[in-house]
Amino acid sequence: MTDIDYMREALGLAKKGMGFVNPNPMVGAVIVKDGRIIGKGFHEKYGTLHAERNAFADCSEDCEGASIYVTLEPCCHYGKTPPCTEAIIEHKIRRVIIGSSDPNPLVAGKGVQILREHRIEVTEGVLKDECDELNEIFMHYITEKTPFVTMKYAMTMDGKIAAYTGESKWITGDESRHNVQLDRLKHSAIMVGVGTVLADDPMLTCRLENGRNPIRIICDTHLRTPLDCNIVRTAKEIPTIIAACSQDFSKISEYEARGCKIIITEEADGHVNLRQLMRILAEDEKIDSVLLEGGGELNWSALESGIVSKVQTYIAPKIFGGAVAKSPVSGIGVPSPSKAFMLTDSRVTKIGEDFLIESRVIPNVHGNS
């Protein structure tokens, strides 16, 4: 097996931590000696041992002279766990092969430097693109200090998210809906507007076996969320945030009594200030990622405010028609094609009979950043 083969093994291990390590990165590690894998590990849960230390704990024999493949540069600072560089040095590892560099200023090249100072051979950038993509949420959160926001919607081939009656269940097939559940696991939080709550009364939970429910966020400028809706009813079991601009403290206390956390922002164009909300979610709530499953108005506001990093478009092979049938993004829209929000790095995946197009939003366009 080659360096690439062993790193792919480490990547597969890293993915097992999806949804349970946020706001930490997903990391996998494989220890190889004399052409044999003698230890494997991954970061399993936030606050627990990192991948390297789990791999050492899994080792079936002495690690002296072995190589370790790690998807992310080993940490070199004390946090909730001791530095992984120390463990690597103590176990007399001969060679360290790294996928991604760590953008965290506490690490950022320092881990590699420490290893080399101890005469350990370091190879960087093996499967770098795949390792970077695995932790796109972590990379954004660390460097931008705001959550990575994925705007997700499902539509027909003619761009409708519902029939003219408002009926929308179901546009896509079972396979696509299962993939959405994986994304609910991957992201720390899921966000909708109050219009979605009023229309659909959703639960916004992760329905995967042994999954983890995301924190639920409702953007509700004037606190119109019904106290008896599914989300509020279950707020004591599943963390729930309502973002509002209201100063009606009697209403606020009613939501709080039912387990909701209220975040008050300034108004932006008559609505919740989404940029301010993202800063609060990152700094105060340690939320590293948000899956936006709102309607057209919230999607427009999110794009216009510049908080969206990625767009996921599920397209079903159906046509609804209808001049008044809703589309994924509404609002006032752009005045001309030259003012469009631009997407890049698009990737198309066939999921069952549906198609998923994933694209990155180009920043710094028309105020978008």
Side-chain angles (χ1 to χ4, degrees), residues 90-150:
E90 288 167 4
H91 283 87
K92 299 180 179 178
I93 291 294
R94 177 184 64 83
R95 181 175 178 235
V96 178
I97 302 90
I98 297 168
S100 295
S101 299
D102 193 333
N104 187 339
L106 294 173
V107 184
K110 299 182 183 73
V112 168
Q113 180 182 346
I114 288 170
L115 294 173
R116 285 178 171 152
E117 286 173 352
H118 284 79
R119 298 186 178 180
I120 295 172
E121 181 185 345
V122 179
T123 301
E124 300 180 76
V126 176
L127 290 184
K128 175 177 169 52
D129 290 346
E130 289 93 328
C131 292
D132 286 353
E133 183 179 0
L134 175 71
N135 282 309
E136 62 182 355
I137 285 173
F138 171 74
M139 303 285 186
H140 175 94
Y141 179 66
I142 287 293
T143 57
E144 302 298 325
K145 306 199 180 333
T146 57
F148 184 94
V149 178
T150 301

Short mmCIF file of all heavy atoms in Angstrom, two decimals, residues 90-150:
data_model
loop_
_atom_site.label_atom_id
_atom_site.label_comp_id
_atom_site.label_asym_id
_atom_site.label_seq_id
_atom_site.Cartn_x
_atom_site.Cartn_y
_atom_site.Cartn_z
N GLU A 90 6.77 10.63 22.16
CA GLU A 90 6.93 9.61 23.22
C GLU A 90 6.93 8.19 22.66
O GLU A 90 7.63 7.31 23.16
CB GLU A 90 5.81 9.76 24.25
CG GLU A 90 5.95 10.99 25.14
CD GLU A 90 4.67 11.28 25.92
OE1 GLU A 90 3.72 10.47 25.81
OE2 GLU A 90 4.65 12.30 26.64
N HIS A 91 6.14 7.96 21.61
CA HIS A 91 6.05 6.62 21.02
C HIS A 91 7.13 6.36 19.98
O HIS A 91 7.13 5.33 19.32
CB HIS A 91 4.65 6.40 20.40
CG HIS A 91 3.59 6.13 21.42
ND1 HIS A 91 2.89 7.13 22.05
CD2 HIS A 91 3.11 4.96 21.92
CE1 HIS A 91 2.01 6.60 22.89
NE2 HIS A 91 2.13 5.28 22.83
N LYS A 92 8.06 7.32 19.83
CA LYS A 92 9.21 7.17 18.94
C LYS A 92 8.82 6.85 17.50
O LYS A 92 9.40 5.98 16.85
CB LYS A 92 10.16 6.10 19.50
CG LYS A 92 10.70 6.45 20.87
CD LYS A 92 11.64 5.39 21.40
CE LYS A 92 12.19 5.78 22.79
NZ LYS A 92 13.08 4.74 23.34
N ILE A 93 7.81 7.59 17.03
CA ILE A 93 7.38 7.47 15.64
C ILE A 93 8.50 8.01 14.74
O ILE A 93 9.11 9.05 15.03
CB ILE A 93 6.07 8.24 15.41
CG1 ILE A 93 4.92 7.55 16.15
CG2 ILE A 93 5.77 8.39 13.93
CD1 ILE A 93 4.54 6.18 15.63
N ARG A 94 8.77 7.33 13.64
CA ARG A 94 9.84 7.73 12.73
C ARG A 94 9.37 8.74 11.71
O ARG A 94 10.09 9.66 11.34
CB ARG A 94 10.40 6.48 12.02
CG ARG A 94 11.49 6.79 10.99
CD ARG A 94 11.93 5.54 10.24
NE ARG A 94 10.84 4.98 9.45
CZ ARG A 94 10.50 5.42 8.23
NH1 ARG A 94 11.14 6.43 7.67
NH2 ARG A 94 9.49 4.85 7.58
N ARG A 95 8.12 8.57 11.24
CA ARG A 95 7.64 9.41 10.13
C ARG A 95 6.17 9.77 10.35
O ARG A 95 5.37 8.92 10.78
CB ARG A 95 7.79 8.65 8.80
CG ARG A 95 7.34 9.42 7.57
CD ARG A 95 7.65 8.64 6.29
NE ARG A 95 7.18 9.35 5.12
CZ ARG A 95 6.36 8.84 4.21
NH1 ARG A 95 5.93 7.59 4.31
NH2 ARG A 95 5.97 9.56 3.17
N VAL A 96 5.81 11.02 10.07
CA VAL A 96 4.43 11.50 10.17
C VAL A 96 3.99 11.99 8.80
O VAL A 96 4.65 12.83 8.20
CB VAL A 96 4.30 12.63 11.22
CG1 VAL A 96 2.86 13.13 11.27
CG2 VAL A 96 4.75 12.13 12.59
N ILE A 97 2.86 11.47 8.32
CA ILE A 97 2.32 11.86 7.02
C ILE A 97 1.00 12.59 7.28
O ILE A 97 0.10 12.05 7.94
CB ILE A 97 2.10 10.63 6.11
CG1 ILE A 97 3.42 9.87 5.91
CG2 ILE A 97 1.54 11.08 4.75
CD1 ILE A 97 3.68 8.80 6.95
N ILE A 98 0.90 13.81 6.77
CA ILE A 98 -0.23 14.70 7.09
C ILE A 98 -1.02 15.03 5.84
O ILE A 98 -0.46 15.25 4.77
CB ILE A 98 0.31 16.00 7.74
CG1 ILE A 98 1.01 15.68 9.07
CG2 ILE A 98 -0.80 17.02 7.94
CD1 ILE A 98 1.80 16.85 9.63
N GLY A 99 -2.33 15.11 5.99
CA GLY A 99 -3.21 15.52 4.89
C GLY A 99 -3.34 17.04 4.84
O GLY A 99 -2.80 17.70 3.97
N SER A 100 -4.08 17.61 5.80
CA SER A 100 -4.33 19.05 5.85
C SER A 100 -3.43 19.74 6.87
O SER A 100 -3.12 19.17 7.91
CB SER A 100 -5.79 19.33 6.26
OG SER A 100 -6.70 18.88 5.30
N SER A 101 -3.08 20.98 6.58
CA SER A 101 -2.47 21.84 7.58
C SER A 101 -3.59 22.39 8.46
O SER A 101 -4.71 22.62 8.00
CB SER A 101 -1.72 23.00 6.92
OG SER A 101 -0.68 22.51 6.10
N ASP A 102 -3.29 22.61 9.73
CA ASP A 102 -4.29 23.13 10.67
C ASP A 102 -4.27 24.66 10.64
O ASP A 102 -3.24 25.27 10.90
CB ASP A 102 -3.99 22.63 12.08
CG ASP A 102 -5.15 22.85 13.05
OD1 ASP A 102 -5.93 23.80 12.84
OD2 ASP A 102 -5.26 22.08 14.01
N PRO A 103 -5.42 25.30 10.30
CA PRO A 103 -5.45 26.77 10.25
C PRO A 103 -5.53 27.42 11.62
O PRO A 103 -5.41 28.64 11.73
CB PRO A 103 -6.72 27.05 9.44
CG PRO A 103 -7.62 25.90 9.77
CD PRO A 103 -6.72 24.70 9.92
N ASN A 104 -5.76 26.62 12.67
CA ASN A 104 -5.85 27.16 14.02
C ASN A 104 -4.53 27.84 14.38
O ASN A 104 -3.47 27.20 14.35
CB ASN A 104 -6.16 26.04 15.01
CG ASN A 104 -6.44 26.56 16.41
OD1 ASN A 104 -6.05 27.66 16.78
ND2 ASN A 104 -7.10 25.76 17.21
N PRO A 105 -4.52 29.12 14.74
CA PRO A 105 -3.27 29.82 15.06
C PRO A 105 -2.47 29.15 16.17
O PRO A 105 -1.25 29.32 16.24
CB PRO A 105 -3.75 31.22 15.50
CG PRO A 105 -5.09 31.38 14.86
CD PRO A 105 -5.69 30.02 14.82
N LEU A 106 -3.14 28.37 17.02
CA LEU A 106 -2.43 27.66 18.08
C LEU A 106 -1.59 26.51 17.54
O LEU A 106 -0.69 26.02 18.21
CB LEU A 106 -3.44 27.12 19.11
CG LEU A 106 -4.22 28.17 19.92
CD1 LEU A 106 -5.28 27.50 20.77
CD2 LEU A 106 -3.27 28.99 20.79
N VAL A 107 -1.90 26.08 16.31
CA VAL A 107 -1.17 24.97 15.69
C VAL A 107 -0.44 25.49 14.45
O VAL A 107 0.77 25.69 14.49
CB VAL A 107 -2.11 23.81 15.31
CG1 VAL A 107 -1.30 22.64 14.75
CG2 VAL A 107 -2.94 23.37 16.51
N ALA A 108 -1.18 25.72 13.36
CA ALA A 108 -0.70 26.35 12.11
C ALA A 108 0.80 26.24 11.86
O ALA A 108 1.53 27.22 11.94
CB ALA A 108 -1.13 27.81 12.08
N GLY A 109 1.28 25.04 11.58
CA GLY A 109 2.68 24.84 11.26
C GLY A 109 3.56 24.54 12.46
O GLY A 109 4.66 23.98 12.32
N LYS A 110 3.08 24.90 13.65
CA LYS A 110 3.88 24.67 14.85
C LYS A 110 4.00 23.18 15.16
O LYS A 110 5.03 22.72 15.66
CB LYS A 110 3.28 25.41 16.04
CG LYS A 110 3.22 26.93 15.88
CD LYS A 110 2.65 27.59 17.13
CE LYS A 110 2.50 29.10 16.97
NZ LYS A 110 1.39 29.45 16.08
N GLY A 111 2.91 22.43 14.87
CA GLY A 111 2.96 20.99 15.11
C GLY A 111 4.03 20.33 14.26
O GLY A 111 4.83 19.51 14.75
N VAL A 112 4.07 20.70 12.99
CA VAL A 112 5.08 20.16 12.07
C VAL A 112 6.48 20.57 12.53
O VAL A 112 7.42 19.75 12.53
CB VAL A 112 4.82 20.64 10.63
CG1 VAL A 112 6.00 20.34 9.73
CG2 VAL A 112 3.55 20.00 10.09
N GLN A 113 6.63 21.81 12.93
CA GLN A 113 7.94 22.32 13.36
C GLN A 113 8.45 21.53 14.57
O GLN A 113 9.63 21.13 14.61
CB GLN A 113 7.82 23.80 13.72
CG GLN A 113 9.13 24.42 14.18
CD GLN A 113 8.96 25.88 14.58
OE1 GLN A 113 7.95 26.50 14.28
NE2 GLN A 113 9.95 26.42 15.27
N ILE A 114 7.61 21.29 15.54
CA ILE A 114 8.01 20.55 16.75
C ILE A 114 8.46 19.14 16.38
O ILE A 114 9.48 18.64 16.88
CB ILE A 114 6.86 20.52 17.77
CG1 ILE A 114 6.67 21.90 18.39
CG2 ILE A 114 7.10 19.46 18.86
CD1 ILE A 114 5.42 22.04 19.23
N LEU A 115 7.70 18.49 15.50
CA LEU A 115 8.06 17.13 15.10
C LEU A 115 9.43 17.11 14.41
O LEU A 115 10.27 16.24 14.69
CB LEU A 115 6.98 16.56 14.17
CG LEU A 115 5.61 16.32 14.81
CD1 LEU A 115 4.59 15.92 13.76
CD2 LEU A 115 5.68 15.27 15.91
N ARG A 116 9.66 18.05 13.52
CA ARG A 116 10.93 18.09 12.80
C ARG A 116 12.09 18.42 13.74
O ARG A 116 13.21 17.94 13.55
CB ARG A 116 10.84 19.09 11.65
CG ARG A 116 10.02 18.55 10.48
CD ARG A 116 9.88 19.52 9.34
NE ARG A 116 9.26 18.87 8.18
CZ ARG A 116 8.55 19.50 7.27
NH1 ARG A 116 8.35 20.81 7.37
NH2 ARG A 116 8.01 18.84 6.26
N GLU A 117 11.82 19.26 14.74
CA GLU A 117 12.86 19.57 15.72
C GLU A 117 13.28 18.33 16.50
O GLU A 117 14.40 18.27 17.03
CB GLU A 117 12.36 20.65 16.68
CG GLU A 117 12.32 22.04 16.06
CD GLU A 117 11.66 23.08 16.96
OE1 GLU A 117 11.10 22.68 18.02
OE2 GLU A 117 11.68 24.27 16.59
N HIS A 118 12.38 17.35 16.57
CA HIS A 118 12.70 16.08 17.24
C HIS A 118 13.16 15.03 16.22
O HIS A 118 13.10 13.83 16.49
CB HIS A 118 11.49 15.59 18.04
CG HIS A 118 11.29 16.33 19.32
ND1 HIS A 118 10.70 17.57 19.37
CD2 HIS A 118 11.63 16.02 20.60
CE1 HIS A 118 10.66 17.99 20.64
NE2 HIS A 118 11.21 17.06 21.40
N ARG A 119 13.59 15.49 15.06
CA ARG A 119 14.15 14.66 14.00
C ARG A 119 13.16 13.58 13.52
O ARG A 119 13.56 12.47 13.17
CB ARG A 119 15.45 14.01 14.48
CG ARG A 119 16.51 15.05 14.82
CD ARG A 119 17.83 14.43 15.14
NE ARG A 119 18.85 15.46 15.42
CZ ARG A 119 20.10 15.20 15.73
NH1 ARG A 119 20.53 13.95 15.78
NH2 ARG A 119 20.95 16.19 15.96
N ILE A 120 11.92 13.95 13.50
CA ILE A 120 10.89 13.07 12.93
C ILE A 120 10.62 13.54 11.50
O ILE A 120 10.41 14.74 11.26
CB ILE A 120 9.59 13.12 13.76
CG1 ILE A 120 9.85 12.54 15.16
CG2 ILE A 120 8.46 12.36 13.07
CD1 ILE A 120 8.71 12.72 16.13
N GLU A 121 10.64 12.62 10.57
CA GLU A 121 10.38 12.95 9.16
C GLU A 121 8.90 13.29 8.99
O GLU A 121 8.03 12.55 9.46
CB GLU A 121 10.76 11.77 8.27
CG GLU A 121 10.55 12.02 6.78
CD GLU A 121 10.82 10.80 5.93
OE1 GLU A 121 11.44 9.83 6.45
OE2 GLU A 121 10.40 10.80 4.76
N VAL A 122 8.63 14.40 8.32
CA VAL A 122 7.24 14.83 8.11
C VAL A 122 6.98 15.00 6.62
O VAL A 122 7.74 15.68 5.92
CB VAL A 122 6.92 16.15 8.85
CG1 VAL A 122 5.48 16.57 8.58
CG2 VAL A 122 7.18 16.01 10.34
N THR A 123 5.92 14.39 6.13
CA THR A 123 5.46 14.57 4.75
C THR A 123 4.10 15.24 4.81
O THR A 123 3.17 14.73 5.46
CB THR A 123 5.35 13.22 4.02
OG1 THR A 123 6.63 12.58 4.02
CG2 THR A 123 4.87 13.42 2.58
N GLU A 124 3.95 16.36 4.12
CA GLU A 124 2.69 17.12 4.17
C GLU A 124 1.94 17.03 2.85
O GLU A 124 2.53 16.79 1.80
CB GLU A 124 2.98 18.58 4.50
CG GLU A 124 3.66 18.81 5.83
CD GLU A 124 3.92 20.29 6.10
OE1 GLU A 124 2.95 21.00 6.44
OE2 GLU A 124 5.07 20.72 5.94
N GLY A 125 0.63 17.28 2.92
CA GLY A 125 -0.18 17.46 1.72
C GLY A 125 -0.60 16.19 1.00
O GLY A 125 -1.00 16.26 -0.17
N VAL A 126 -0.58 15.04 1.67
CA VAL A 126 -1.05 13.81 1.03
C VAL A 126 -2.59 13.80 1.05
O VAL A 126 -3.20 13.91 2.11
CB VAL A 126 -0.50 12.56 1.75
CG1 VAL A 126 -1.08 11.29 1.14
CG2 VAL A 126 1.03 12.54 1.66
N LEU A 127 -3.19 13.74 -0.13
CA LEU A 127 -4.66 13.85 -0.29
C LEU A 127 -5.18 15.14 0.36
O LEU A 127 -6.23 15.15 1.00
CB LEU A 127 -5.37 12.63 0.29
CG LEU A 127 -5.19 11.30 -0.45
CD1 LEU A 127 -6.05 10.21 0.18
CD2 LEU A 127 -5.57 11.44 -1.93
N LYS A 128 -4.43 16.20 0.17
CA LYS A 128 -4.77 17.48 0.80
C LYS A 128 -6.17 17.96 0.44
O LYS A 128 -6.92 18.41 1.32
CB LYS A 128 -3.74 18.54 0.42
CG LYS A 128 -4.08 19.95 0.93
CD LYS A 128 -3.00 20.95 0.58
CE LYS A 128 -3.45 22.38 0.84
NZ LYS A 128 -3.98 22.58 2.20
N ASP A 129 -6.54 17.89 -0.84
CA ASP A 129 -7.85 18.40 -1.25
C ASP A 129 -8.97 17.66 -0.54
O ASP A 129 -9.94 18.27 -0.06
CB ASP A 129 -8.02 18.29 -2.77
CG ASP A 129 -7.13 19.28 -3.51
OD1 ASP A 129 -6.61 20.21 -2.87
OD2 ASP A 129 -6.95 19.11 -4.74
N GLU A 130 -8.86 16.32 -0.49
CA GLU A 130 -9.91 15.53 0.17
C GLU A 130 -9.95 15.81 1.67
O GLU A 130 -11.02 15.91 2.27
CB GLU A 130 -9.67 14.04 -0.06
CG GLU A 130 -9.92 13.58 -1.48
CD GLU A 130 -8.67 13.60 -2.33
OE1 GLU A 130 -7.79 14.47 -2.12
OE2 GLU A 130 -8.57 12.74 -3.22
N CYS A 131 -8.78 15.95 2.28
CA CYS A 131 -8.72 16.24 3.72
C CYS A 131 -9.26 17.63 4.03
O CYS A 131 -9.96 17.84 5.03
CB CYS A 131 -7.30 16.07 4.23
SG CYS A 131 -6.69 14.37 4.22
N ASP A 132 -8.93 18.60 3.17
CA ASP A 132 -9.46 19.95 3.36
C ASP A 132 -10.97 19.97 3.23
O ASP A 132 -11.68 20.61 4.03
CB ASP A 132 -8.86 20.91 2.33
CG ASP A 132 -7.41 21.28 2.62
OD1 ASP A 132 -6.91 20.91 3.70
OD2 ASP A 132 -6.79 21.94 1.76
N GLU A 133 -11.50 19.27 2.23
CA GLU A 133 -12.94 19.24 2.01
C GLU A 133 -13.67 18.60 3.18
O GLU A 133 -14.75 19.03 3.57
CB GLU A 133 -13.27 18.50 0.72
CG GLU A 133 -14.75 18.50 0.40
CD GLU A 133 -15.09 17.78 -0.89
OE1 GLU A 133 -14.16 17.26 -1.56
OE2 GLU A 133 -16.28 17.70 -1.23
N LEU A 134 -13.08 17.56 3.73
CA LEU A 134 -13.69 16.88 4.88
C LEU A 134 -13.97 17.87 6.00
O LEU A 134 -15.00 17.80 6.67
CB LEU A 134 -12.76 15.77 5.38
CG LEU A 134 -13.22 15.04 6.64
CD1 LEU A 134 -14.42 14.15 6.34
CD2 LEU A 134 -12.08 14.23 7.24
N ASN A 135 -13.07 18.82 6.19
CA ASN A 135 -13.19 19.76 7.30
C ASN A 135 -13.44 21.19 6.83
O ASN A 135 -12.96 22.15 7.44
CB ASN A 135 -11.94 19.70 8.18
CG ASN A 135 -11.96 18.49 9.10
OD1 ASN A 135 -12.95 18.27 9.80
ND2 ASN A 135 -10.89 17.72 9.10
N GLU A 136 -14.24 21.34 5.76
CA GLU A 136 -14.53 22.68 5.27
C GLU A 136 -15.24 23.52 6.33
O GLU A 136 -15.04 24.74 6.41
CB GLU A 136 -15.38 22.62 3.99
CG GLU A 136 -16.74 21.97 4.15
CD GLU A 136 -17.52 21.90 2.84
OE1 GLU A 136 -17.04 22.43 1.84
OE2 GLU A 136 -18.62 21.29 2.84
N ILE A 137 -16.05 22.87 7.16
CA ILE A 137 -16.74 23.60 8.23
C ILE A 137 -15.73 24.12 9.24
O ILE A 137 -15.73 25.30 9.60
CB ILE A 137 -17.77 22.68 8.91
CG1 ILE A 137 -19.00 22.51 8.00
CG2 ILE A 137 -18.20 23.24 10.27
CD1 ILE A 137 -20.00 21.49 8.50
N PHE A 138 -14.85 23.25 9.71
CA PHE A 138 -13.84 23.64 10.70
C PHE A 138 -12.93 24.73 10.15
O PHE A 138 -12.64 25.71 10.85
CB PHE A 138 -13.01 22.41 11.08
CG PHE A 138 -11.81 22.72 11.92
CD1 PHE A 138 -11.95 23.05 13.26
CD2 PHE A 138 -10.53 22.66 11.38
CE1 PHE A 138 -10.84 23.34 14.05
CE2 PHE A 138 -9.42 22.95 12.16
CZ PHE A 138 -9.57 23.29 13.50
N MET A 139 -12.49 24.58 8.89
CA MET A 139 -11.57 25.56 8.29
C MET A 139 -12.22 26.95 8.27
O MET A 139 -11.59 27.97 8.59
CB MET A 139 -11.20 25.14 6.87
CG MET A 139 -10.56 23.77 6.74
SD MET A 139 -8.86 23.75 7.28
CE MET A 139 -8.37 22.08 6.83
N HIS A 140 -13.49 27.00 7.88
CA HIS A 140 -14.20 28.28 7.81
C HIS A 140 -14.39 28.87 9.21
O HIS A 140 -14.14 30.06 9.44
CB HIS A 140 -15.57 28.08 7.15
CG HIS A 140 -16.42 29.31 7.14
ND1 HIS A 140 -16.46 30.19 6.07
CD2 HIS A 140 -17.27 29.82 8.06
CE1 HIS A 140 -17.29 31.18 6.35
NE2 HIS A 140 -17.79 30.98 7.57
N TYR A 141 -14.83 28.04 10.13
CA TYR A 141 -15.13 28.51 11.49
C TYR A 141 -13.89 29.08 12.16
O TYR A 141 -13.95 30.13 12.82
CB TYR A 141 -15.68 27.33 12.29
CG TYR A 141 -16.02 27.64 13.73
CD1 TYR A 141 -17.06 28.52 14.06
CD2 TYR A 141 -15.33 27.03 14.77
CE1 TYR A 141 -17.38 28.77 15.38
CE2 TYR A 141 -15.65 27.28 16.10
CZ TYR A 141 -16.68 28.16 16.40
OH TYR A 141 -16.98 28.41 17.72
N ILE A 142 -12.75 28.43 11.97
CA ILE A 142 -11.51 28.89 12.60
C ILE A 142 -11.00 30.17 11.97
O ILE A 142 -10.54 31.09 12.66
CB ILE A 142 -10.43 27.78 12.51
CG1 ILE A 142 -10.75 26.65 13.48
CG2 ILE A 142 -9.04 28.34 12.79
CD1 ILE A 142 -10.65 27.02 14.95
N THR A 143 -11.09 30.26 10.66
CA THR A 143 -10.51 31.43 9.97
C THR A 143 -11.46 32.63 9.93
O THR A 143 -11.01 33.77 10.04
CB THR A 143 -10.09 31.06 8.54
OG1 THR A 143 -11.22 30.54 7.82
CG2 THR A 143 -8.99 30.00 8.55
N GLU A 144 -12.76 32.38 9.76
CA GLU A 144 -13.72 33.47 9.63
C GLU A 144 -14.42 33.83 10.94
O GLU A 144 -15.03 34.88 11.06
CB GLU A 144 -14.79 33.12 8.58
CG GLU A 144 -14.23 32.82 7.20
CD GLU A 144 -13.50 33.99 6.59
OE1 GLU A 144 -13.92 35.15 6.83
OE2 GLU A 144 -12.50 33.77 5.89
N LYS A 145 -14.38 32.89 11.91
CA LYS A 145 -15.01 33.09 13.21
C LYS A 145 -16.53 33.30 13.10
O LYS A 145 -17.14 34.02 13.89
CB LYS A 145 -14.35 34.23 13.98
CG LYS A 145 -12.84 34.05 14.13
CD LYS A 145 -12.26 34.87 15.21
CE LYS A 145 -10.76 34.70 15.38
NZ LYS A 145 -10.20 33.44 14.96
N THR A 146 -17.11 32.68 12.08
CA THR A 146 -18.56 32.63 11.92
C THR A 146 -18.93 31.22 11.47
O THR A 146 -18.08 30.49 10.97
CB THR A 146 -19.05 33.63 10.84
OG1 THR A 146 -18.38 33.36 9.60
CG2 THR A 146 -18.81 35.07 11.27
N PRO A 147 -20.19 30.82 11.64
CA PRO A 147 -20.58 29.47 11.20
C PRO A 147 -20.50 29.32 9.68
O PRO A 147 -20.70 30.28 8.92
CB PRO A 147 -22.04 29.35 11.68
CG PRO A 147 -22.20 30.39 12.73
CD PRO A 147 -21.29 31.51 12.34
N PHE A 148 -20.20 28.13 9.24
CA PHE A 148 -20.26 27.76 7.83
C PHE A 148 -21.74 27.50 7.53
O PHE A 148 -22.36 26.61 8.12
CB PHE A 148 -19.44 26.49 7.59
CG PHE A 148 -19.36 26.05 6.16
CD1 PHE A 148 -18.30 26.43 5.35
CD2 PHE A 148 -20.34 25.23 5.61
CE1 PHE A 148 -18.21 26.02 4.04
CE2 PHE A 148 -20.26 24.80 4.30
CZ PHE A 148 -19.20 25.20 3.50
N VAL A 149 -22.32 28.29 6.63
CA VAL A 149 -23.76 28.19 6.34
C VAL A 149 -23.97 27.50 5.00
O VAL A 149 -23.46 27.94 3.97
CB VAL A 149 -24.42 29.59 6.33
CG1 VAL A 149 -25.90 29.46 5.98
CG2 VAL A 149 -24.25 30.25 7.70
N THR A 150 -24.73 26.41 5.03
CA THR A 150 -25.11 25.69 3.83
C THR A 150 -26.58 25.94 3.55
O THR A 150 -27.44 25.62 4.38
CB THR A 150 -24.88 24.17 3.98
OG1 THR A 150 -23.50 23.93 4.27
CG2 THR A 150 -25.27 23.43 2.72
#
